[in-house]
Amino acid sequence: MFWIIATGCVLLAVLMPFFLSRHPEIKTTPKGLRIFKLVTWGLAAVMILLAFLFEPK
């Protein structure tokens, strides 16, 4: 389960800037996009760590 959430977070962090660049009607600031990317990469890192710790081998 942790791997699925981590994969989703990585996809969000990678694909959301492309989506926002193609849809200029969605207003965002560079600082807001940076914060979004930091949060999604951080959540992905935490989920990967939890997957290594708690997923059955």
Side-chain angles (χ1 to χ4, degrees), residues 12-13 16-17 20 26-41:
L12 261 178
M16 187 59 88
L20 291 175
I26 301 173
K27 303 289 186 228
T28 184
T29 62
K31 183 179 179 184
L33 188 59
R34 193 175 316 126
I35 290 170
F36 175 79
K37 288 203 292 193
L38 283 172
V39 168
T40 52
W41 280 111

